[in-house]
Structures are given as C-alpha cells and as structure tokens.
Amino acid sequence: GGSFTEGLVGTPKHINPLLAQANDVDRDLSTLIYSGLLKYDDSGKLGPGLAGSYTVSDDGLTYTFKLRSDLKWHDGQSITADDVIFTILTAQNADYDSFQRPNWQGVDVSKLDNQTVIFKLKTKYAQFLSNMTIGILPKHIWGNIKAANFALSEINIKPTVGSGPYKFSKIKRDSLGNVKSFELVAFDKYYAGKPYISKINFKFYASDSELISAYNNNDVD
C-alpha cells in the first residue's frame, strides 16, 4: 500500500516501447506500463514475462514462445499472439521510425495459435533473447493509427492501456502545456501479482539542481 513520489530530470515525450530509447524518462515510465515476453530479474538474469515458457531449436534459429493463459491489458481485454506480432511488425517497418528496428531485421514472426508465437532467424544471434524484453503494444489501441501519426499520437503521453505492473492514472501540465507530474496506479491483474506500492507519482524537473532542491524540500521521496 501507500504511495511513492519520484523526481526525474527531463520530461516524457514518447511513453512507447518502440520510441522510448532516446529519452531516459520515457524508458523509465514505459518499463512500468508495458511488459515484454521476457524480463530481467533482480539479479540481472532473463526470466519469464508475458511468456511463461519458450523453446529454442537445436540450430538456434527458431524460438517458440508460449504466452501465459491469464494475461490482461489494463482495459481488461486479453493479450494474445496477435499483439506480439503487431508490435514486432511495427518495429520492423521503417515507416514507424522505431529505435528498435535494427534489433528485428532478418527475423520472421508468425502465430501458431493465440498463445504461441514463433520467431525464425536467418542467421544465429546469441543475444536474441535480450530483444524479448521489448514492451508489447495493444493492437486494439495502436492498430488503427497510421505510421505518419504514430509518434504524434496523444497515446504516447497518455498510455491508457498497457500490461505492466502500473497503469496510467493522471497527468498534470503547467500553463504552457509542459508536463509537470504523472501518476500511475497498481494494476491488480498484473501477471506477477499486484505491486505492493499502490501509487507512484513522478515529478519532472529541468535540471539536477532543481531535483536536488525538490528532494531537500521533501517534494519527492
């Protein structure tokens, strides 16, 4: 229970796994709101995420991922293989200008069934599993947004539907439209269990000195 307030230097622009790499704030928020097929544990090792299990072929070219059966988006809809495929195809498409695109070149993705996704590589790539931490996007939210509007969509700053441990609650701006704070609340259907902290507030500052002053004034935890 309880709440936690964190101060960050910078401002959110693209809280989107496919666009977040250029901004530390975007990456921090995106990681809390979206989930990948795999995730790093506290010791830095890759473990199950949205995928409860996976297998790798003997030649190291085919990876088969089995999604958990109880996965839900923040709006209650089920997460399926179609969402995974949509995310990867979007990352691969140059029109969407994703920072993730280089990681997915030469990879074919297909669906065996609603819970199973198959990745086939043209050449063996030892670090391929690390790519599986990419946050998966909900197809039913992003699927109708054209490539030209992908980076401009309001959903990038108000990501109302994800699958991570926390979901979007509210955003506050100043009179000029700058984002000053961002609130997330715990997602009670998160596959790994509802987070202990009920609410996380983020406050954004222009410099390290402003952030330090905010901490000294007990404005952030």
Side-chain angles (χ1 to χ4, degrees):
S3 63
F4 179 81
T5 300
E6 179 175 335
L8 295 170
V9 176
T11 186
K13 296 178 180 178
H14 296 105
I15 308 170
N16 178 329
L18 303 190
L19 302 174
Q21 282 68 23
N23 184 327
D24 289 341
V25 171
D26 288 344
R27 285 201 302 269
D28 288 350
L29 296 175
S30 180
T31 300
L32 291 172
I33 295 171
Y34 295 97
S35 301
L37 293 180
L38 299 180
K39 68 175 183 176
Y40 289 103
D41 62 20
D42 293 340
S43 62
K45 294 182 179 179
L46 275 175
L50 295 177
S53 62
Y54 68 90
T55 59
V56 184
S57 62
D58 292 338
D59 62 7
L61 296 177
T62 302
Y63 292 73
T64 303
F65 286 80
K66 188 76 173 179
L67 296 178
R68 299 171 187 266
S69 60
D70 56 348
L71 296 174
K72 298 292 183 183
W73 291 109
H74 291 161
D75 61 359
Q77 292 203 35
S78 296
I79 300 172
T80 71
D82 290 331
D83 297 302
V84 178
I85 292 173
F86 167 75
T87 302
I88 303 309
L89 293 180
T90 301
Q92 290 176 330
N93 190 333
D95 292 341
Y96 289 86
D97 200 23
S98 171
F99 290 92
Q100 289 282 350
R101 187 168 181 259
N103 294 333
W104 296 98
Q105 298 306 292
V107 179
D108 291 326
V109 58
S110 61
K111 178 177 76 170
L112 181 62
D113 55 48
N114 281 338
Q115 302 299 122
T116 311
V117 183
I118 299 173
F119 299 89
K120 292 187 177 181
L121 283 62
K122 291 182 173 59
T123 57
K124 194 171 181 179
Y125 175 33
Q127 301 300 317
F128 180 67
L129 282 177
S130 63
N131 292 351
M132 294 300 166
T133 60
I134 183 176
I136 301 303
L137 294 174
K139 182 180 179 180
H140 67 284
I141 298 296
W142 286 96
N144 294 324
I145 297 177
K146 296 180 179 180
N149 298 324
F150 189 71
L152 303 174
S153 172
E154 181 73 2
I155 309 173
N156 285 304
I157 201 66
K158 292 183 179 179
T160 53
V161 180
S163 60
Y166 287 89
K167 60 183 181 178
F168 173 80
S169 175
K170 65 180 68 171
I171 188 172
K172 290 184 179 180
R173 303 174 185 265
D174 63 17
S175 59
L176 298 177
N178 300 309
V179 179
K180 301 304 293 182
S181 67
F182 197 90
E183 181 182 282
L184 302 178
V185 294
F187 179 41
D188 56 6
K189 291 185 173 63
Y190 181 53
Y191 67 83
K194 184 178 179 179
Y196 293 126
I197 299 174
S198 298
K199 184 186 298 181
I200 300 180
N201 297 296
F202 292 91
K203 293 184 178 181
F204 307 106
Y205 299 92
S207 65
D208 289 332
S209 60
E210 285 188 18
L211 176 56
I212 292 170
S213 293
Y215 176 74
N216 291 333
N217 292 330
N218 295 318
D219 291 331
V220 299
D221 298 315

